[in-house]
Amino acid sequence: MRYGLAALALASALTSGGAALAQSDAPVPLSYGVRPFYLVDKLPDGELKEKLAACMNQTPARTAFSIGHRGAPLQFPEHTVESNLAAARQGVGILECDVTFTKDKELVCRHAQNDLHTTTNIVATDLAEKCTQPFTPASDGAEAAAECRTSDITLAEFRTLKPKMDAADKSATTAEAYLGGTPDFRTDLYVDDAQLMTHKESIELFKSLGAKFTPELKDPSVDMPFDGFSMDDYAQKMIDEYKDAGIPASDLFPQSFNLDVIRYWVENEPEYGRQAVYLVEPDDSWDGSDPSTWEHSPADIADMGINYLAPSINMLVDLDDSGEIVPSDYAKAAKEAGLTLISWSLERSGPLANGGGWYYNSVTDAIDSDSDYYAVLDVLAQDVGVVGVFSDWPATVTYYANCTGL
């Protein structure tokens, strides 16, 4: 492992307290920080604000309802040791490694196979010439561009890269300037010395933190098979790395947007496939109230032997005739089909003024303040009945879950 001294010290402390953590008692102090209180303070007067404000003196506790989405990337570079330590300190019960592979077919944690140009410093290194599309500067009205894939480089080369916040300055005329562009609601304060992870390293770290695992097998940017490496080989390799690490199936929630991958796990790794999570998101024609626009009905998904469904937030909530946020017809159909629901990703959108962006486009007219993170979360938890929520800042979800007994 390549963790820094602080990470190793925390991992050691967490490991020594593993028995306590199994009972949802953190072996090191947890902290909500100030953000949950800030959001509660902004809520309009009413039942939800009274309920959440009454919990301000509670002691934080770890909860599986709170899932770290790439760690805690609202402020830390995603899929780094530091991002996941931050999430663990905010009380998450489940951590995520998005899984892709390198040129030598080793598994690493990246949100996409082709995101190295926005999540690392690769375009400003000697490895830039190996990128699928090396950096080209902005010129004559054209934006700066690059595409760098994990499959362009070996694992040894991947290890030399430095992570950064996911961003790019498309007005840049130099590779160094292209590394900028961090949205103003995030920060570069915690970028220095952040550490990338392989998939195996994420398993070791998350295990030491006492968390469960929800790896997402990402669809490759390259054509498959890749140098003889098929999609089935890829899906199997991910599961095998948990088996090799001694992780029980009960602690693993493997995810994919690829239905064929989910069905592969269900059919070929039934013990692990029992908790496979099918991720879905709406296309442009999707309407939560019109089943004819759903690619697969929840009933059809359940009939495939899939137990866990994870739609994006905008698929699970809608507005009623009075403008109140309520469960969508899709959410109701999923519950009727007996599917266990998870949703994603709270705190991804930044400030929620003016409708909140893509994640909230089914309830835009009800979104006008950051406090609406809690308004939506309350509907997801109490009315939709999700069992977990991914968040870019897990303390927000942990606070809510602790307060409401989830």
Side-chain angles (χ1 to χ4, degrees), residues 172-249:
T173 57
T174 67
E176 289 74 16
Y178 187 75
L179 301 179
T182 301
D184 58 11
F185 64 86
R186 297 193 178 121
T187 179
D188 292 314
L189 188 61
Y190 304 111
V191 169
D192 286 352
D193 298 322
Q195 301 166 81
L196 297 172
M197 294 188 299
T198 68
H199 180 237
K200 288 180 181 178
E201 288 170 345
S202 78
I203 295 172
E204 184 177 341
L205 178 64
F206 299 174
K207 183 178 180 180
S208 76
L209 297 172
K212 295 187 178 183
F213 310 82
T214 186
E216 181 191 338
L217 195 82
K218 306 301 293 191
D219 275 352
S221 300
V222 296
D223 292 334
M224 299 293 279
F226 174 77
D227 189 25
F229 191 53
S230 70
M231 278 300 297
D232 286 354
D233 294 335
Y234 178 30
Q236 188 63 52
K237 184 178 178 70
M238 191 187 86
I239 297 298
D240 285 346
E241 292 195 351
Y242 288 93
K243 288 182 172 181
D244 293 344
I247 303 302

Side-chain angles (χ1 to χ4, degrees), residues 130-188:
K130 296 190 175 186
C131 290
T132 295
Q133 179 188 346
F135 170 76
T136 56
S139 178
D140 297 328
E143 294 182 335
E147 183 183 357
C148 304
R149 302 174 177 176
T150 57
S151 54
D152 291 333
I153 59 175
T154 65
L155 176 59
E157 291 168 332
F158 174 82
R159 289 187 183 281
T160 69
L161 299 176
K162 294 182 178 181
K164 68 181 193 68
M165 297 300 281
D166 185 10
D169 183 349
K170 295 184 179 181
S171 67
T173 57
T174 67
E176 289 74 16
Y178 187 75
L179 301 179
T182 301
D184 58 11
F185 64 86
R186 297 193 178 121
T187 179
D188 292 314

Side-chain angles (χ1 to χ4, degrees), residues 89-159:
R89 289 164 173 152
Q90 294 174 37
V92 300
I94 304 175
L95 286 167
E96 177 187 46
C97 167
D98 289 329
V99 178
T100 188
F101 57 85
T102 59
K103 185 176 183 178
D104 45 354
K105 299 185 283 291
E106 294 295 330
L107 304 186
V108 294
C109 298
R110 287 292 89 199
H111 179 64
Q113 189 171 57
N114 62 339
D115 74 359
L116 292 181
H117 52 288
T118 64
T119 63
T120 76
N121 68 332
I122 189 170
V123 299
T125 74
D126 291 342
L127 293 174
E129 63 186 23
K130 296 190 175 186
C131 290
T132 295
Q133 179 188 346
F135 170 76
T136 56
S139 178
D140 297 328
E143 294 182 335
E147 183 183 357
C148 304
R149 302 174 177 176
T150 57
S151 54
D152 291 333
I153 59 175
T154 65
L155 176 59
E157 291 168 332
F158 174 82
R159 289 187 183 281

